[in-house]
Amino acid sequence: MRELGIGIIGTGFMGKAHAFAYRAALAAFPGIPVPRLEMIADVDLALAAKAAHQYGFARASGNWKEMIADPKIDVISVTTPNTFHKEMSLAAIAAGKHVHCEKPLSPTLADSLAMAEAAEAKGIVTQVGFNYIKNPLLKLARQMVEAGELGDITGFRGIHAEDYMHDPEGPWTWRIDPSGGPGVIADLGSHIIGMARFLVGPIAEVSADVRTVVKSRPVSRGAKERKDVLVDDVARILVQFGRGCGGTIEANWIATGRKMQLGFELTGSKGSLVFTQERLNELLFYKAGSDAKTNGYVRIETGPQHPPYGEFCVAGGHQLGFNDLKTIEMGEFLGAIGGGPKAGPDFREAYEIQKVVEASIASSKARSWVKV
Amino acid sequence: MRELGIGIIGTGFMGKAHAFAYRAALAAFPGIPVPRLEMIADVDLALAAKAAHQYGFARASGNWKEMIADPKIDVISVTTPNTFHKEMSLAAIAAGKHVHCEKPLSPTLADSLAMAEAAEAKGIVTQVGFNYIKNPLLKLARQMVEAGELGDITGFRGIHAEDYMHDPEGPWTWRIDPSGGPGVIADLGSHIIGMARFLVGPIAEVSADVRTVVKSRPVSRGAKERKDVLVDDVARILVQFGRGCGGTIEANWIATGRKMQLGFELTGSKGSLVFTQERLNELLFYKAGSDAKTNGYVRIETGPQHPPYGEFCVAGGHQLGFNDLKTIEMGEFLGAIGGGPKAGPDFREAYEIQKVVEASIASSKARSWVKV
Amino acid sequence: MRELGIGIIGTGFMGKAHAFAYRAALAAFPGIPVPRLEMIADVDLALAAKAAHQYGFARASGNWKEMIADPKIDVISVTTPNTFHKEMSLAAIAAGKHVHCEKPLSPTLADSLAMAEAAEAKGIVTQVGFNYIKNPLLKLARQMVEAGELGDITGFRGIHAEDYMHDPEGPWTWRIDPSGGPGVIADLGSHIIGMARFLVGPIAEVSADVRTVVKSRPVSRGAKERKDVLVDDVARILVQFGRGCGGTIEANWIATGRKMQLGFELTGSKGSLVFTQERLNELLFYKAGSDAKTNGYVRIETGPQHPPYGEFCVAGGHQLGFNDLKTIEMGEFLGAIGGGPKAGPDFREAYEIQKVVEASIASSKARSWVKV
Amino acid sequence: MRELGIGIIGTGFMGKAHAFAYRAALAAFPGIPVPRLEMIADVDLALAAKAAHQYGFARASGNWKEMIADPKIDVISVTTPNTFHKEMSLAAIAAGKHVHCEKPLSPTLADSLAMAEAAEAKGIVTQVGFNYIKNPLLKLARQMVEAGELGDITGFRGIHAEDYMHDPEGPWTWRIDPSGGPGVIADLGSHIIGMARFLVGPIAEVSADVRTVVKSRPVSRGAKERKDVLVDDVARILVQFGRGCGGTIEANWIATGRKMQLGFELTGSKGSLVFTQERLNELLFYKAGSDAKTNGYVRIETGPQHPPYGEFCVAGGHQLGFNDLKTIEMGEFLGAIGGGPKAGPDFREAYEIQKVVEASIASSKARSWVKV
């Protein structure tokens, strides 16, 4: 039975999510190579050591380059802020490691392309953390689109809105440092753009309004001194898909009240789907042409009939959570390394998503449609 | 007690709705002038006679000009297809009648302006059938915005989508005859544009994608012969409000599954509101800054604390329906004629709404932002 | 065209609802006898006169016996407190008037039986105000049960809960005067018992817990003096239906937060239905055996395919409200008087419902099952 | 850092759930003793070996008694059918192991009492798999009740309904073998009874209707031969809580359409809570006395403000799933073994729950109220 030595760089929000997922991956996906939890690295060694203990990894390091150099490590997760993604990923690729990198892949399109090309040249497996499309109901949605159950697709309305930046008195943070690239359109927008691509296919052209609503923020909570905000906090985009239909996409991190409004309404000539991550175990499906008296939106609840739900629980109705989606993501990634089907989204796909982001920003500046 | 003689031109969908509403108006609004149900006119006299009997109007006519000439009639409702609105309304105005006209006001901006100016010159009271904003919860929403309970408004996402044209094999109808003006953007779009204006204020600029998805339709149900569709069936609009915030608006009559998806999400720095006409007796309200453990969206249910609900039912929870909204509309219209507060939307407001429609179409053709 | 002279006794909550409904009935039901709005009576003549004007009735009276004696009146609605129902109804029946009486029919079973027998002996048409089952979706639900679409019925869970008495400091009112009969079990319980019978059929046996939670109330708002509450405010009932299945029913007027939680879940071997009056234009339907991947509860929205919705609006999605249900009730009542199908629930059915109420109270006292 | 050697008996539905949970427990609860995954036992050694590999346990065994005898094992999870619970648990207790046993604890009240007493005599820590109350929102609900935020509790309506036995042609299984004890009332009823006790406190008295609706089942799928069903499939219970209020409880495994309808409505004089496991990351809360215009049910979404959600994800809105609830359960169990707060429900509590089950069955037979 093949084993894969796992390393994680970073111990924050996503570092923890990756650790949970690697620990659970084999339990959910018996056929994948066995993940051997080798090392966690963090610039703060104490944090790394604490994480390694807590998440059951064998070793800790205060220097991520040790991980790159370690021959027992086959797979590296990069979960640091995105300004570090390129350097770490390229080093890992150069060392022949398979790389999972959190999104956004990098602050600039050029860097992301370089990362994708390096990985492809080296023939290693990459993946980027677009976890929400790992939902079994999203897989079902895609199958339904592909099978023509919705007829011709006539529209897609997508949104990813949260409110963690809604308070104008909320302080300036690294998240809005422009050296990290654009703001909400990269952070949340990339999720819903990726979801749109996953379901409907490539986006050909955009006309966008990308703006900064909260113009300045205190340098710290309660401080009088304020600092200008140089990245966007709302993006609204008209999209033209390559397959011919239109749609809209919104990314918004000042959407007061919303904690996870990542959702869409996808309409076709014969049916439609409605989804929101706020109720991630439900998918609404309308099929035209049924008996009019009893027709309407069906609330589909996730169950074992929607793979790979059954790997987590044999009975329907028990529900998956966010960490389970992350486990599916890692299970598929390790499976692909083991020779299984290509899982994705890989670096190339992340680059394609970023192209839509950049085209939207360009469109907003030019106040016109821009080809992706 | 002042009386007003009422006449209705047209006996279709809206003719019936007006009749229900005039019959109920005094029961709900005791202070208004007493509506005396005088006459229903229809080009088909038999239909007019049947309607007059059924709706309790004193007389019927096969010629709407009789109504114009009748001194006992003080108020005229125009509920015919919109190609007739101008002629009928101008005649009524010229005769000094107060006029309620269904939307869209007319096929062209010029005609609508002419109608508004004629009414203003004559000093008569006008109203246009934007019934959905008559909902007590919409009045509450507007009050909350005006009172600053949501803080600075940072976004509005509105939609009016239905599916009555979703089937590509559904036949060509008068509704898509281009002599009646544009398609869904006028028919449904005007409702959500009007709602946006009601809540957030004037729209200054738009960037729109207005398109025809179903390119041709059979000349009749099942016919082999097809006719080109020359009006739009989906419109997606980026909007810039005069007050500074942005938003999106969609109008769509091929939204398979949707029967009345007229709704919005309105976001401010301190709170937000979510509404859909699919559940017209509910308004979701989120207020930032409450106790984090128990904060969330509040589902407000209409009750007597939301005027004029109490005029229909003294106890909460009993719910209003569409015809009740229409009754509020007529009650306010008659009240305004009686010297009460100006109700609106009047012809001028309908013209302002239409300017957004026309700017959107122009924007879509120019593929750029267009000032309203 | 036959006409029916209409009289209403009482100008309160239900008096107004009846007035709205009689005014609208012909507009919704063209085939019924024409209701001629003749008289409103109230012990307070000024109130009666005001109501007659506002609701468009020809005359007012301060003495309901005038209405009984008036030959121009064919139909009488009794909307007074239920201690008056018997005397008024029997007088009306004796005078050969058709009678609509609000629920509960009377404070005692004996009185209700006397009323039913008097009406039957005289051959007049009666109806009692169980308005909620007039909902087109309830008619659909009953048809589905009868057609076997749900298979064998295996359970019914019904509730009618509101919160208008939830505050222990809310004052004593006529509503809880024991001379009016029992409390919530008669007031709200009768609605859900009636709905259970409408859908599932007769109730054969009950085991109930009928109790008074709020033991005393101030004699008036804020008063120190308190008065004992002698009627029930919560009733929980195990039921055995005549057709063999079991169920539960709850009536509750101290259900803090609930304004109109009148609903049920009806389960059969092949499907199930879920309804709440809180969303009266929706019915949830689950059908076993469909494609597992896309099966789930269907949200049916009322539309013209659900008669008589189409009489109120030709397009789906527009929604009915409470007053529309009342209009259906009156339309059916007048239609039955005109020789149309028997509408009901009539006095006899109200008596049958009351038998379940009384059996529940007896069961609660005996702490055992009691046959109805 | 203290370690605890973990063993699991059984590799089915719950065996897997326990394995996931033990693997994740330390990642979520850094302060607990470190779980060392030692052994999985199953009567089928091959299954045990496969599970041990997949779930990362060091060893497998085909004989559970090996686990009992193994000094490296400190904690044993019993996840076999409940006819085996007593023997295995008593053996583990005798060997001084801490025991987690799945519910129902045993087929008979006497056996469960014996198990509880044995554990107490030995001073070991026990826990029983009532996982759903581990939900952070259930903890919040209990705190709100205890803090008096809902005022005096006036009612509890609870249900656990699923449909895995709804089809009368579904075959006879071990689940309905009467040697395993009663049917749905033990299987699902124990969950909602436990939840009722968790939130409202002890149940003093019951009046129940416990019945077998599907009287016989085919011996195998499609077989002509049928076998009588001797256990209940629906139980409806009137309950009297020790604190004085009443309520109803339903357990139902023939509830066509329901996959996880485990929920309640809890009403107090000042507020109420509504929950369903179908949307386990939401709790509805109504607070009386707020501003009437904007009052209503608040939809609380789980977040880091609801411990221990934050141990799974630092950001709100991401949602927990079933396996996370199981992880909380195991984390608390191991924490209690390590000297942390007593987590429960322990064997004694499971016995108390079972007393309600048995009293309900007795009540149903006697057709009268029975003290618990």
Side-chain angles (χ1 to χ4, degrees):
Chain A
M1 183 78 58
R2 183 176 171 192
E3 288 195 356
L4 291 171
I6 308 291
I8 299 174
I9 312 178
T11 60
F13 184 173
M14 277 303 127
K16 181 160 194 168
H18 283 230
F20 263 101
Y22 282 123
R23 280 192 70 75
L26 188 68
F29 297 91
I32 62 173
V34 177
R36 202 181 55 243
L37 309 181
E38 277 292 334
M39 185 186 289
I40 292 181
D42 194 285
V43 64
D44 178 336
L45 176 58
L47 276 184
K50 183 168 174 295
H53 166 70
Q54 192 178 348
Y55 307 147
F57 279 63
R59 290 171 290 154
S61 170
N63 181 352
W64 62 270
K65 292 182 181 172
E66 278 191 73
M67 191 184 289
I68 303 293
D70 192 318
K72 294 186 67 179
I73 287 175
D74 307 295
V75 177
I76 290 181
S77 271
V78 178
T79 74
T80 53
N82 70 345
T83 46
F84 301 104
H85 288 181
K86 185 187 178 189
E87 182 187 6
M88 292 171 174
S89 294
L90 290 183
I93 291 165
K97 319 289 195 200
H98 303 285
V99 185
H100 185 297
C101 184
E102 270 305 318
K103 37 69 53 185
L105 193 52
S106 84
T108 72
L109 201 51
D111 283 357
S112 295
L113 179 58
M115 292 163 74
E117 288 179 341
E120 287 161 8
K122 193 79 177 186
I124 61 116
V125 177
T126 61
Q127 191 149 327
V128 184
F130 294 102
N131 25 255
Y132 301 110
I133 59 175
K134 297 305 178 182
N135 189 328
L137 292 176
L138 270 284
K139 294 175 190 284
L140 173 65
R142 178 165 153 148
Q143 286 164 12
M144 292 172 82
V145 172
E146 286 180 347
E149 292 187 48
L150 307 176
D152 293 330
I153 304 306
T154 62
F156 177 87
R157 191 166 65 255
I159 187 166
H160 193 160
E162 303 192 13
D163 72 355
Y164 51 90
M165 302 295 279
H166 86 91
D167 181 2
E169 299 311 309
W172 217 91
T173 76
W174 64 266
R175 213 180 257 283
I176 59 174
D177 190 313
S179 69
V184 71
I185 194 170
D187 189 14
L188 300 185
S190 60
H191 276 300
I192 184 60
I193 291 168
M195 198 174 274
R197 285 176 52 89
F198 179 72
L199 294 168
V200 187
I203 292 168
E205 207 168 358
V206 293
S207 174
D209 175 9
V210 183
R211 60 172 73 191
T212 305
V213 173
V214 179
K215 306 285 193 208
S216 71
R217 293 182 176 275
V219 294
S220 60
R221 170 80 46 195
K224 285 200 173 163
E225 191 191 343
R226 299 181 76 89
K227 200 167 166 180
D228 284 352
V229 176
L230 300 175
V231 301
D232 54 289
D233 48 20
V234 184
R236 302 178 179 94
I237 316 171
L238 302 178
V239 302
Q240 169 70 31
F241 287 93
R243 74 193 296 155
C245 70
T248 56
I249 284 179
E250 179 173 336
N252 192 330
W253 67 27
I254 57 168
T256 311
R258 292 298 184 180
K259 309 306 170 191
M260 185 51 80
Q261 188 185 26
L262 166 60
F264 62 83
E265 183 150 354
L266 195 168
T267 306
S269 56
K270 294 183 183 168
S272 61
L273 296 172
V274 186
F275 174 79
T276 174
Q277 186 71 14
E278 292 173 321
R279 289 177 175 163
L280 72 92
N281 289 280
E282 302 179 15
L283 177 68
L284 301 185
F285 169 43
Y286 181 91
K287 188 175 184 64
S290 308
D291 173 30
K293 281 210 172 186
T294 57
N295 202 7
Y297 282 89
V298 181
R299 179 163 61 95
I300 301 171
E301 296 178 90
T302 338
Q305 67 276 31
H306 308 120
Y309 173 99
E311 304 299 334
F312 293 86
C313 182
V314 297
H318 282 65
Q319 305 202 10
L320 302 182
F322 173 74
N323 284 339
D324 298 320
L325 301 187
K326 213 71 195 169
T327 298
I328 297 173
E329 188 185 343
M330 292 311 172
E332 292 183 354
F333 176 46
L334 299 179
I337 296 172
K342 195 168 177 310
D346 61 7
F347 282 12
R348 175 64 61 175
E349 170 64 8
Y351 165 72
E352 294 293 336
I353 291 169
Q354 199 165 353
K355 278 168 64 182
V356 180
V357 167
E358 295 297 336
S360 298
I361 292 169
S363 160
S364 186
K365 282 181 186 148
R367 293 173 58 79
S368 67
W369 285 84
V370 167
K371 287 204 160 39
V372 175
Chain B
M1 184 74 61
R2 183 177 171 191
E3 288 195 358
L4 291 171
I6 308 292
I8 299 174
I9 312 177
T11 60
F13 184 173
M14 277 302 128
K16 181 161 194 168
H18 283 230
F20 263 101
Y22 283 123
R23 280 193 70 74
L26 188 69
F29 297 91
I32 62 173
V34 177
R36 203 183 54 244
L37 309 181
E38 278 293 332
M39 186 187 288
I40 292 181
D42 195 284
V43 63
D44 178 337
L45 176 59
L47 276 182
K50 183 167 174 294
H53 166 69
Q54 192 179 348
Y55 308 147
F57 279 63
R59 291 172 289 154
S61 170
N63 181 352
W64 62 270
K65 292 181 181 172
E66 277 191 72
M67 189 184 288
I68 304 293
D70 191 320
K72 293 186 69 180
I73 289 176
D74 307 294
V75 177
I76 291 181
S77 271
V78 178
T79 74
T80 54
N82 68 345
T83 45
F84 301 103
H85 289 179
K86 185 187 179 189
E87 183 188 5
M88 291 171 175
S89 294
L90 290 183
I93 291 165
K97 318 291 193 196
H98 303 286
V99 185
H100 186 298
C101 183
E102 272 305 318
K103 37 69 55 184
L105 192 53
S106 83
T108 72
L109 201 51
D111 283 357
S112 295
L113 179 58
M115 291 163 74
E117 289 180 339
E120 288 160 9
K122 194 78 179 191
I124 61 116
V125 177
T126 61
Q127 190 148 328
V128 184
F130 293 102
N131 27 255
Y132 301 110
I133 60 174
K134 297 306 177 181
N135 189 327
L137 292 175
L138 270 284
K139 293 174 190 285
L140 173 65
R142 177 166 156 148
Q143 285 164 12
M144 292 172 82
V145 172
E146 288 180 346
E149 292 186 48
L150 308 176
D152 292 329
I153 304 306
T154 62
F156 177 88
R157 191 166 66 255
I159 187 166
H160 193 160
E162 303 192 13
D163 72 356
Y164 51 89
M165 300 296 280
H166 86 91
D167 180 2
E169 299 310 309
W172 216 93
T173 75
W174 64 268
R175 214 181 257 281
I176 58 174
D177 190 312
S179 69
V184 72
I185 194 170
D187 189 14
L188 300 185
S190 59
H191 276 301
I192 183 60
I193 291 168
M195 199 174 274
R197 285 175 53 88
F198 179 72
L199 295 168
V200 187
I203 292 168
E205 207 169 357
V206 293
S207 174
D209 174 9
V210 183
R211 60 172 71 190
T212 305
V213 173
V214 178
K215 306 285 194 210
S216 70
R217 293 182 176 275
V219 294
S220 59
R221 171 76 50 194
K224 287 202 173 162
E225 190 192 344
R226 299 181 77 88
K227 199 166 167 181
D228 285 351
V229 175
L230 299 176
V231 300
D232 54 288
D233 47 21
V234 184
R236 301 178 179 94
I237 315 171
L238 302 178
V239 301
Q240 169 69 31
F241 287 94
R243 73 192 298 154
C245 70
T248 56
I249 285 178
E250 179 172 337
N252 192 330
W253 66 27
I254 58 168
T256 312
R258 293 298 184 179
K259 308 307 170 191
M260 183 54 77
Q261 188 185 25
L262 166 60
F264 62 83
E265 183 149 355
L266 194 168
T267 305
S269 57
K270 295 184 182 167
S272 61
L273 296 173
V274 185
F275 174 79
T276 174
Q277 186 72 14
E278 290 173 321
R279 289 177 175 163
L280 72 93
N281 288 280
E282 301 179 14
L283 178 68
L284 301 184
F285 169 43
Y286 181 91
K287 188 175 185 64
S290 309
D291 173 30
K293 281 209 173 187
T294 56
N295 203 7
Y297 283 88
V298 180
R299 178 163 61 94
I300 302 170
E301 296 178 270
T302 337
Q305 67 274 33
H306 308 119
Y309 173 98
E311 304 299 332
F312 293 85
C313 183
V314 296
H318 282 66
Q319 305 202 11
L320 302 183
F322 173 74
N323 284 338
D324 297 320
L325 301 187
K326 213 69 195 171
T327 298
I328 297 172
E329 189 185 343
M330 292 313 171
E332 292 183 354
F333 176 47
L334 298 180
I337 295 171
K342 197 167 175 310
D346 61 7
F347 282 13
R348 174 65 61 175
E349 169 65 8
Y351 165 71
E352 294 293 336
I353 291 169
Q354 198 165 353
K355 277 168 65 183
V356 180
V357 166
E358 294 298 335
S360 299
I361 292 170
S363 161
S364 185
K365 282 182 185 147
R367 294 172 58 81
S368 67
W369 285 84
V370 166
K371 287 201 162 39
V372 175
Chain C
M1 183 75 60
R2 181 176 171 192
E3 289 194 357
L4 291 171
I6 309 291
I8 298 175
I9 311 178
T11 60
F13 184 173
M14 277 303 128
K16 181 160 193 167
H18 282 231
F20 263 100
Y22 282 122
R23 280 193 71 72
L26 187 69
F29 297 91
I32 62 173
V34 177
R36 202 181 57 243
L37 309 181
E38 278 291 334
M39 186 187 288
I40 292 181
D42 195 284
V43 63
D44 178 336
L45 176 59
L47 277 183
K50 183 167 174 295
H53 166 69
Q54 192 179 348
Y55 307 146
F57 280 64
R59 291 172 289 153
S61 170
N63 181 352
W64 63 270
K65 292 182 181 173
E66 277 190 73
M67 191 184 288
I68 303 294
D70 191 320
K72 293 186 68 180
I73 289 175
D74 306 294
V75 177
I76 290 180
S77 271
V78 178
T79 74
T80 54
N82 68 346
T83 45
F84 301 103
H85 289 180
K86 184 186 179 190
E87 183 187 6
M88 291 171 175
S89 294
L90 290 183
I93 291 166
K97 319 290 194 196
H98 303 286
V99 185
H100 186 297
C101 184
E102 271 305 319
K103 39 68 54 186
L105 192 54
S106 83
T108 72
L109 201 51
D111 282 357
S112 294
L113 180 58
M115 291 163 74
E117 289 180 342
E120 288 161 7
K122 193 80 179 188
I124 62 116
V125 177
T126 61
Q127 190 148 327
V128 183
F130 293 102
N131 25 254
Y132 301 110
I133 59 175
K134 297 305 177 182
N135 189 327
L137 292 175
L138 270 284
K139 293 175 190 284
L140 173 65
R142 177 167 155 147
Q143 285 164 11
M144 292 172 82
V145 172
E146 287 180 346
E149 291 187 49
L150 308 175
D152 293 329
I153 304 307
T154 63
F156 177 88
R157 190 165 66 257
I159 187 166
H160 192 160
E162 303 192 13
D163 72 356
Y164 50 90
M165 301 294 282
H166 86 91
D167 181 2
E169 299 311 308
W172 217 92
T173 75
W174 64 267
R175 214 181 256 281
I176 58 174
D177 189 313
S179 69
V184 72
I185 194 171
D187 189 14
L188 299 185
S190 59
H191 275 301
I192 184 60
I193 291 168
M195 199 175 273
R197 285 176 53 88
F198 179 71
L199 295 168
V200 187
I203 292 169
E205 208 168 356
V206 292
S207 173
D209 175 9
V210 183
R211 60 172 71 191
T212 306
V213 172
V214 179
K215 305 286 194 211
S216 70
R217 293 183 177 275
V219 294
S220 60
R221 171 76 50 192
K224 286 200 173 165
E225 190 192 344
R226 297 181 77 89
K227 199 166 166 181
D228 284 352
V229 176
L230 299 176
V231 300
D232 54 288
D233 47 21
V234 184
R236 301 177 179 94
I237 316 172
L238 302 178
V239 301
Q240 169 70 31
F241 287 94
R243 73 193 296 154
C245 71
T248 55
I249 284 177
E250 179 172 337
N252 192 331
W253 67 26
I254 58 168
T256 311
R258 293 298 184 180
K259 309 305 171 193
M260 184 53 77
Q261 187 185 26
L262 167 60
F264 63 83
E265 184 150 354
L266 195 170
T267 307
S269 56
K270 295 183 182 166
S272 62
L273 296 172
V274 185
F275 174 79
T276 175
Q277 185 73 12
E278 290 173 321
R279 289 176 175 163
L280 71 93
N281 288 279
E282 301 179 14
L283 177 68
L284 301 184
F285 169 43
Y286 182 91
K287 188 176 184 64
S290 309
D291 173 30
K293 280 209 173 187
T294 56
N295 202 7
Y297 283 88
V298 180
R299 178 162 60 94
I300 302 171
E301 296 179 88
T302 339
Q305 68 275 32
H306 308 119
Y309 173 98
E311 304 299 333
F312 293 85
C313 183
V314 297
H318 283 66
Q319 305 201 10
L320 302 183
F322 173 74
N323 284 338
D324 297 320
L325 301 187
K326 214 70 195 168
T327 298
I328 297 173
E329 188 185 342
M330 292 314 171
E332 292 183 354
F333 176 47
L334 299 180
I337 295 171
K342 196 167 177 309
D346 61 8
F347 282 13
R348 174 64 60 174
E349 170 63 8
Y351 165 72
E352 294 293 335
I353 290 169
Q354 199 165 350
K355 278 167 65 183
V356 180
V357 167
E358 294 296 336
S360 299
I361 292 170
S363 161
S364 186
K365 283 183 184 145
R367 294 172 58 81
S368 67
W369 285 84
V370 166
K371 286 201 162 39
V372 174
Chain D
M1 183 76 60
R2 181 174 172 194
E3 287 195 356
L4 291 171
I6 309 291
I8 298 175
I9 313 178
T11 60
F13 183 173
M14 277 301 128
K16 181 159 195 169
H18 283 230
F20 263 101
Y22 282 123
R23 280 191 71 73
L26 189 68
F29 296 91
I32 62 172
V34 177
R36 203 182 55 243
L37 308 181
E38 278 292 334
M39 186 185 288
I40 292 181
D42 194 285
V43 64
D44 178 337
L45 176 58
L47 276 183
K50 182 167 175 294
H53 165 70
Q54 193 180 347
Y55 307 147
F57 280 64
R59 291 171 289 154
S61 170
N63 181 353
W64 62 271
K65 293 181 182 174
E66 277 191 72
M67 190 184 289
I68 303 293
D70 192 318
K72 294 186 67 179
I73 288 176
D74 307 295
V75 177
I76 291 182
S77 270
V78 178
T79 74
T80 53
N82 69 345
T83 45
F84 301 103
H85 288 181
K86 185 186 178 189
E87 182 187 7
M88 292 171 175
S89 294
L90 290 183
I93 290 166
K97 319 290 195 198
H98 302 286
V99 185
H100 186 297
C101 184
E102 271 305 320
K103 38 69 52 185
L105 192 53
S106 83
T108 72
L109 200 51
D111 282 357
S112 294
L113 179 58
M115 292 164 72
E117 289 179 342
E120 287 160 8
K122 194 78 177 186
I124 62 116
V125 177
T126 61
Q127 190 148 328
V128 184
F130 293 102
N131 26 255
Y132 300 111
I133 60 174
K134 297 305 177 182
N135 189 328
L137 292 176
L138 270 284
K139 294 175 190 285
L140 173 65
R142 177 165 154 148
Q143 285 164 12
M144 293 173 81
V145 172
E146 287 180 346
E149 291 187 48
L150 307 176
D152 293 329
I153 304 306
T154 62
F156 177 88
R157 192 167 65 255
I159 186 165
H160 193 160
E162 302 192 13
D163 73 355
Y164 50 90
M165 302 295 280
H166 86 90
D167 181 1
E169 299 310 309
W172 216 93
T173 76
W174 65 266
R175 213 181 257 282
I176 59 173
D177 191 311
S179 70
V184 72
I185 194 170
D187 189 15
L188 300 185
S190 59
H191 275 301
I192 184 60
I193 291 168
M195 199 174 274
R197 285 176 53 89
F198 179 72
L199 295 168
V200 187
I203 291 168
E205 208 168 356
V206 293
S207 174
D209 175 10
V210 184
R211 59 172 73 190
T212 305
V213 172
V214 178
K215 307 285 193 209
S216 70
R217 292 182 176 276
V219 294
S220 59
R221 171 79 48 197
K224 286 200 174 163
E225 191 191 344
R226 299 181 78 88
K227 199 166 166 181
D228 285 352
V229 176
L230 300 175
V231 300
D232 54 288
D233 47 21
V234 184
R236 300 178 180 95
I237 315 172
L238 302 178
V239 301
Q240 169 69 29
F241 287 94
R243 75 194 294 155
C245 72
T248 55
I249 285 178
E250 179 173 336
N252 192 330
W253 67 27
I254 57 168
T256 311
R258 292 298 183 180
K259 309 306 172 192
M260 184 52 79
Q261 188 186 24
L262 167 60
F264 62 83
E265 184 150 355
L266 194 168
T267 306
S269 56
K270 293 182 183 168
S272 62
L273 297 172
V274 186
F275 174 79
T276 174
Q277 186 71 13
E278 291 173 320
R279 288 176 175 164
L280 70 93
N281 289 279
E282 301 179 15
L283 177 68
L284 301 184
F285 170 43
Y286 181 92
K287 189 176 183 64
S290 309
D291 174 29
K293 280 209 173 187
T294 57
N295 202 8
Y297 283 88
V298 180
R299 179 163 59 95
I300 302 170
E301 295 178 89
T302 338
Q305 67 275 32
H306 308 120
Y309 174 98
E311 304 299 333
F312 293 86
C313 183
V314 297
H318 282 66
Q319 306 202 10
L320 302 183
F322 173 74
N323 284 338
D324 297 320
L325 301 187
K326 212 71 195 168
T327 297
I328 297 173
E329 188 185 342
M330 292 313 172
E332 292 184 354
F333 176 47
L334 298 179
I337 295 172
K342 194 168 176 311
D346 61 7
F347 281 12
R348 175 63 62 175
E349 170 65 7
Y351 165 72
E352 294 293 336
I353 291 170
Q354 200 165 351
K355 277 167 65 182
V356 180
V357 167
E358 294 297 335
S360 298
I361 292 170
S363 160
S364 186
K365 281 181 185 146
R367 293 172 60 79
S368 67
W369 285 84
V370 166
K371 287 201 162 36
V372 175

